[in-house]
Amino acid sequence: MDGIFFLMLRRLRAPIIMLISIYAIAVLGLVLIPGIDGNGKPYHIDFFHAFYFISYTATSIGFGEIPHPFTYQQRLWVLLCIYLAVTGWAYAIGSIFGLMRDESLRKAIAHARFGRKVRRISEPFYLICGYGQTARILCKVLDDLDIRFVILELREERINDIALANFHYDTPSFAGDAANPELLKIAGIEHPHCIGIVGITGNEEANLAIAISAYVLRPQILSICRSRNRSVAENMASFGTNKVINLFETVGRKFARRLQQPNVAQLCDVLADFPGNPIATEPQPPVGHWVIVGFGRFGAAVYQALLAAGCSVTVIDPEPQAQLPPDCFIHALGVDAASLKQAGIEHAVGLLVSHDNDANNLSALATAREINPQLFTVARQNLTHNHILFTAFKPNITSIRAQIIAHECLRAMENPLLADAMALISQQSEAWAAQLLPQLLELCKGKVPEIWRIQFNARNASAVHAMLAQPLPPLRIEHYTHDALNHGDSLRCLALLHRHAGTDTLLPTGDTPLYFGDELLFIGNHHARLAHTAVQESISLLDYIRTGQEQPQSWLFRRIAQYRQDQKNPPLSIAEQGAD
Amino acid sequence: MNIEKVIFGFFILLAFTLNFGFVLGQIDVPHQHDVFELFAAIVINFIATALKFGDRTQVGALHLATSLVADLQLVTAALIWGHAEYVSGTGMTPGVTSMVVSFAAGALAANLVSVVLLIGETLQHRR
């Protein structure tokens, strides 16, 4: 803000000096020119009254000629002064308004305001670079989860969209190049509350620059970056980026999993989805002959997945594809019946349309449907706002680029344990997933459950109490399923992962004891999450969930309870109990 | 030679010399202190202040501060003068005069600092 003040002063130097000079000349002239008082005697106006007169004349207020009516010479001088002063003021005011409209000043004010807002954030926040379709989805969910974020975006008009997005929190946002480390610093990458940085700008180079800046400036925070091709992805990973999202590989992997392990795929989908969304049972793609229209990176990823699942595939693309066998490739756009028929659409079981143009995709989809209504269709939707068209067409699977990336980001952001849990889950068998799925559906009544982590470390006050200060009775996982307000009622939550001394256990049993340094990953409804948060902060609530008895809160009642305890069984017996 | 530096130095020196000229003379003798000189000193001090706007360096800040001090002192001196003439009606008694002049002398000290800064800065650049 200081800089802006000085910038304004500097720009206003000329008009201010001009005004001072005009006033000085006018006042001096008025003092020097002799007047005639009421008695006809000559007199000189003094400085004070001259300044008073000029002040109201120059601002065109005009109280009249005081203290006595002016002489001819005085009026001549005042006439000159009026025009001089009005010009001076017009110039000064014009300069001030001109300055207000000045683009560089406005930018400087926005910059200073942004920096101040970021500095004042007192909660953990994410720094999101790029506010495109992906970021819109991501920010919406983060906002719903009460997580704060700061947005950097290159284009001014998108920054205006943020103001219209109606986030709960005042979101600091600034139009600037996120590839500039100086700007990242102002945007809070070094802020103690910054927990992660997300590089999802449309520019591959900028994303890489963000990865590098994050590595150099704050290596310890979470960094998530998007890349379109493998070499950049590897480059990012070499800079210690925690999560590199390579969109097309992600899609291919997802598709392959869905073909081969539908239950595991659905489990992963549910865990990666946004909390509160209804859990959709996505259909399983059939195995047989497939037609792929549009062989970009997306098409190629699915192609590999289909081949791996034992399907036969024919590809239609307007560009020649040298790496494909010639009998599986048709050189056409794929929107007309002839080329689709040539690709064997009549006897195909599935169709993937993956042009980077939504109109082509919809056109191909419509034509193919007409020829073969039983087709299983997978469509790539490029732009979010074409949603209505795609919903009307009802492809069996719609793959929206922005959504996939947003899911991937969220999964990485929510907590690192989840990413590990997902990796473990994808190695599990179909039967295991099939048995877990109904439990998951039950948790939030068909909605996607929330996922949270409990760390038993020094920050968790009640864990310190329960594990170090008063380790009896031992804390077990099942205690965390008790309601903190009403013992006996159980919370709708499920311990998904238990990390103890570096080993992860999926779905730990309830009687697993907890030790200092452990971590737990829970899935469940919002109520359970709130209960767990409360328990972490309150020692008495923790004692309540593990003993089922309300513990005395105040010093006096604690003393009384202690006394009663000692009366019942002498202190020695506690030592014996401990020794057991 | 930089014309901006000339103007800058000119106004700072002029503010100092005018101020000095006003203060010169016995402290309680009204006719040794001219009202026009005080007026000129105030105006030139204002202009010098405006010229110092917008410098973000440490020296620039000190420059601006000295000018603001001088302005404050000189305006106070002028107000005392006006009060004696038109409000209390005592006129320029030796007591009032010495008060006005002592305030102006305070401003002189501030202006002196300003000049010293200017010279110091110039010498530093020379090296």
Side-chain angles (χ1 to χ4, degrees):
Chain A
M1 216 58 204
D2 263 16
I4 293 164
F5 183 66
F6 280 111
L7 184 75
M8 283 180 75
L9 281 183
R10 200 182 189 94
R11 295 280 194 84
L12 292 178
R13 250 183 348 193
I16 288 173
I17 290 175
M18 184 169 164
L19 268 184
I20 294 173
S21 316
I22 289 171
Y23 269 60
I25 293 166
V27 168
L28 190 64
L30 218 51
V31 171
L32 291 178
I33 297 168
I36 291 170
D37 68 7
N39 305 326
K41 283 186 194 151
Y43 80 106
H44 279 280
I45 299 184
D46 51 77
F47 276 112
F48 175 72
H49 287 102
F51 182 61
Y52 176 58
F53 176 82
I54 291 297
S55 293
Y56 68 63
T57 309
T59 48
S60 71
I61 291 165
F63 283 153
E65 300 171 348
I66 54 161
H68 308 290
F70 284 173
T71 61
Y72 173 76
Q73 290 98 322
Q74 277 180 312
R75 284 185 180 160
L76 198 64
W77 179 248
V78 169
L79 205 57
L80 183 77
C81 292
I82 289 171
Y83 284 101
L84 263 181
V86 168
T87 320
W89 273 117
Y91 174 46
I93 291 171
S95 303
I96 291 169
F97 280 112
L99 200 59
M100 289 297 163
R101 299 177 61 91
D102 187 88
E103 199 53 44
S104 61
L105 182 81
R106 276 182 19 203
K107 192 93 191 171
I109 291 176
H111 190 267
R113 200 173 282 167
F114 173 66
R116 200 175 51 221
K117 267 192 199 169
V118 171
R119 274 197 304 278
R120 283 189 190 160
I121 295 180
S122 55
E123 295 159 58
F125 69 94
Y126 282 103
L127 172 53
I128 295 174
C129 305
Y131 190 66
Q133 295 182 25
T134 311
R136 271 163 225 251
I137 301 171
L138 189 63
C139 290
K140 176 98 190 49
V141 178
L142 288 179
D143 192 51
D144 285 342
L145 291 174
D146 283 338
I147 296 171
R148 297 197 64 173
F149 44 90
V150 170
I151 301 173
L152 274 182
E153 160 65 47
L154 194 58
R155 277 184 271 174
E156 189 95 33
E157 66 265 23
R158 285 188 173 172
I159 291 294
N160 297 336
D161 288 349
I162 296 169
L164 299 175
N166 267 330
F167 293 130
H168 293 124
Y169 288 108
D170 181 22
T171 305
S173 54
F174 185 69
D177 187 4
N180 175 0
E182 203 60 45
L183 189 58
L184 283 179
K185 240 168 131 174
I186 289 162
I189 192 170
E190 292 184 322
H191 193 293
H193 286 301
C194 182
I195 45 177
I197 178 164
V198 185
I200 43 175
T201 67
N203 183 345
E204 195 88 342
E205 299 292 309
N207 290 345
L208 183 60
I210 292 163
I212 295 169
S213 306
Y215 173 71
V216 175
L217 297 173
R218 275 291 288 284
Q220 67 274 35
I221 63 170
L222 177 73
S223 53
I224 303 165
C225 293
R226 176 176 68 187
S227 78
R228 290 211 179 86
N229 60 55
R230 191 185 289 269
S231 67
V232 176
E234 279 166 4
N235 202 349
M236 283 173 179
S238 73
F239 279 110
T241 301
N242 311 63
K243 173 88 183 167
V244 178
I245 298 168
N246 189 334
L247 169 66
F248 301 100
E249 278 187 11
T250 308
V251 170
R253 215 170 36 239
K254 259 183 97 167
F255 200 82
R257 199 190 287 149
R258 199 172 274 168
L259 274 168
Q260 289 152 7
Q261 301 171 284
N263 280 322
V264 174
Q266 202 194 350
L267 201 55
C268 289
D269 279 353
V270 171
L271 290 178
D273 205 349
F274 303 143
N277 280 1
I279 295 177
T281 42
E282 299 232 16
Q284 192 193 356
V287 177
H289 180 64
W290 277 72
V291 176
I292 294 180
V293 178
F295 196 68
R297 279 165 298 201
F298 183 96
V302 175
Y303 175 78
Q304 297 299 339
L306 284 169
L307 284 191
C311 301
S312 63
V313 187
T314 305
V315 174
I316 309 178
D317 195 81
E319 302 289 326
Q321 302 287 342
Q323 77 274 31
L324 293 175
D327 54 330
C328 295
F329 177 67
I330 291 158
H331 193 210
L333 188 60
V335 295
D336 54 321
S339 60
L340 283 169
K341 275 183 182 160
Q342 197 190 338
I345 196 80
E346 281 146 320
H347 62 88
V349 291
L351 168 78
L352 164 75
V353 285
S354 64
H355 277 301
D356 51 10
N357 179 326
D358 281 345
N360 283 348
N361 284 346
L362 288 170
S363 162
L365 201 60
T367 318
R369 275 259 179 88
E370 235 164 65
I371 301 168
N372 184 350
Q374 267 84 49
L375 273 179
F376 183 92
T377 48
V378 182
R380 166 178 172 190
Q381 180 187 337
N382 296 288
L383 299 171
T384 316
H385 54 76
N386 282 338
H387 186 61
I388 308 170
L389 300 178
F390 278 91
T391 343
F393 264 101
K394 292 199 190 68
N396 299 72
I397 298 174
T398 310
S399 173
I400 306 169
R401 194 183 72 173
Q403 256 178 25
I404 294 170
I405 301 169
H407 281 170
E408 287 284 310
C409 287
L410 187 77
R411 187 191 295 173
M413 280 160 107
E414 266 215 314
N415 56 56
L417 265 192
L418 178 59
D420 296 337
M422 299 272 275
L424 276 180
I425 287 171
S426 52
Q427 292 165 8
Q428 299 296 317
S429 68
E430 269 293 283
W432 185 89
Q435 177 238 326
L436 182 58
L437 260 177
Q439 290 185 47
L440 215 62
L441 291 172
E442 186 57 31
L443 277 178
C444 271
K445 301 192 176 90
K447 297 244 172 78
V448 174
E450 294 192 23
I451 301 174
W452 64 94
R453 169 167 73 151
I454 301 178
Q455 285 172 291
F456 297 92
N457 58 15
R459 286 205 186 156
N460 183 344
S462 58
V464 173
H465 166 79
M467 290 165 175
L468 303 177
Q470 202 172 46
L472 290 172
L475 193 63
R476 292 193 302 274
I477 290 178
E478 64 188 354
H479 289 140
Y480 274 86
T481 56
H482 295 317
D483 197 320
L485 296 177
N486 201 353
H487 205 268
D489 285 9
S490 55
L491 294 169
R492 297 178 87 86
C493 65
L494 185 67
L496 190 64
L497 188 82
H498 176 222
R499 174 172 290 175
H500 172 66
T503 45
D504 293 350
T505 319
L506 272 179
L507 291 182
T509 51
D511 56 359
T512 311
L514 290 166
Y515 298 97
F516 198 71
D518 284 10
E519 286 181 64
L520 274 179
L521 185 72
F522 274 101
I523 49 177
N525 64 3
H526 191 60
H527 176 73
R529 183 182 196 154
L530 289 181
H532 283 182
T533 314
V535 165
Q536 281 191 58
E537 281 156 12
S538 155
I539 291 167
S540 62
L541 279 181
L542 185 114
D543 276 338
Y544 181 66
I545 62 164
R546 77 173 164 173
T547 60
Q549 281 160 9
E550 202 89 58
Q551 298 296 320
Q553 297 270 333
S554 68
W555 175 82
L556 183 68
F557 283 93
R558 265 207 308 276
R559 273 298 165 96
I560 294 172
Q562 187 69 45
Y563 176 72
R564 280 193 185 151
Q565 181 87 19
D566 293 351
Q567 289 292 308
K568 252 189 250 165
N569 34 1
L572 246 182
S573 69
I574 293 175
E576 279 165 14
Q577 208 177 347
D580 282 346
Chain B
M1 195 170 68
N2 185 344
I3 189 73
E4 198 192 322
K5 293 264 180 273
V6 176
I7 294 172
F8 190 70
F10 171 79
F11 275 102
I12 286 175
L13 270 179
L14 190 61
F16 170 68
T17 50
L18 283 170
N19 199 338
F20 179 73
F22 176 75
V23 172
L24 201 65
Q26 274 180 312
I27 198 165
D28 56 350
V29 183
H31 72 258
Q32 289 183 356
H33 303 285
D34 187 33
V35 70
F36 285 98
E37 199 153 22
L38 181 62
F39 173 73
I42 290 176
V43 170
I44 297 299
N45 254 300
F46 278 168
I47 292 178
T49 312
L51 281 174
K52 288 167 179 177
F53 283 165
D55 191 343
R56 295 177 67 178
T57 61
Q58 180 67 38
V59 178
L62 195 54
H63 255 306
L64 185 59
T66 55
S67 258
L68 289 175
V69 169
D71 289 343
L72 187 70
Q73 297 251 42
L74 286 174
V75 168
T76 312
L79 286 178
I80 291 168
W81 196 318
H83 187 268
E85 291 277 8
Y86 312 113
V87 182
S88 63
T90 53
M92 290 305 278
T93 58
V96 174
T97 310
S98 53
M99 223 160 129
V100 167
V101 175
S102 66
F103 267 102
L108 182 66
N111 270 323
L112 185 66
V113 172
S114 206
V115 171
V116 169
L117 277 179
L118 183 71
I119 294 169
E121 213 181 352
T122 319
L123 290 181
Q124 203 179 24
H125 281 296
R126 174 72 63 78
R127 240 175 260 148

